Amino acid sequence: MGKILVTGGAGYIGSHTCVELLGAGHDVVVVDNLDNSSQESLRRVRALTGRDLEFNRVDIRDREGLHGVFARHDFDAVLHFAGLKAVGESVEVPLRYYENNITGTLHLLEVMAAHDVRSIVFSSSATVYGDPATVPITEDFP
């Protein structure tokens, strides 16, 4: 199986994804700045799966830190969950969100390109607006 980098891997969605990846036989490396998460979630991932994963406390805005992680591994893909997503806070401090979500993602993409990693899954939002008529919500919903 492949080696996958999970940015934001100590967060809710990232840690649940790590459980599934490890369960499917992938090797997992996590990058997270622990701004909205905790290493406790990764301890639980290890306990649930009986497998280890590598944790790196690196911010996606830190190009050199990302280069260091990529230099140590031959990644097959990146799952990018390191975006900030609190709607109210994003209105209060929009520059923080732009810097993390846009600048951080651009740095990640630049480092991926420098290390010839060309596969990414980008989780752009964890927020759904409105009351859906049916679940699951499909791409053509208003």
Side-chain angles (χ1 to χ4, degrees):
M1 287 291 171
K3 184 175 280 190
I4 310 295
L5 175 67
V6 181
T7 68
Y12 182 81
I13 295 171
S15 63
H16 283 74
T17 300
C18 289
V19 168
E20 296 301 316
L21 290 168
L22 290 167
H26 296 284
D27 292 324
V28 175
V29 176
V30 169
V31 164
D32 200 303
N33 67 3
L34 301 179
D35 191 34
N36 287 324
S37 58
S38 167
Q39 286 191 64
E40 174 62 20
S41 63
L42 298 177
R43 186 196 64 74
R44 292 176 183 166
V45 167
R46 291 177 180 106
L48 285 168
T49 64
R51 293 198 52 211
D52 199 12
L53 53 77
E54 180 182 315
F55 171 70
N56 297 273
R57 187 168 185 172
V58 174
D59 192 297
I60 60 169
R61 296 169 294 177
D62 176 3
R63 269 194 202 107
E64 293 311 310
L66 288 174
H67 275 296
V69 173
F70 276 78
R72 292 190 308 274
H73 299 282
D74 186 18
F75 293 116
D76 295 293
V78 173
L79 299 178
H80 179 32
F81 301 114
L84 298 174
K85 63 180 178 359
V87 176
E89 184 183 62
S90 73
V91 173
E92 293 172 18
V93 286
L95 294 180
R96 178 174 185 248
Y97 277 67
Y98 295 148
E99 182 181 7
N100 186 83
N101 295 356
I102 295 171
T103 304
T105 299
L106 288 173
H107 289 176
L108 175 63
L109 294 170
E110 290 167 359
V111 172
M112 287 175 64
H115 293 269
D116 200 32
V117 178
R118 302 195 180 278
S119 297
I120 184 169
V121 173
F122 175 59
S123 176
S124 63
S125 178
T127 305
V128 176
Y129 302 93
D131 296 314
T134 61
V135 175
I137 298 170
T138 61
E139 292 292 327
D140 60 348
F141 263 56

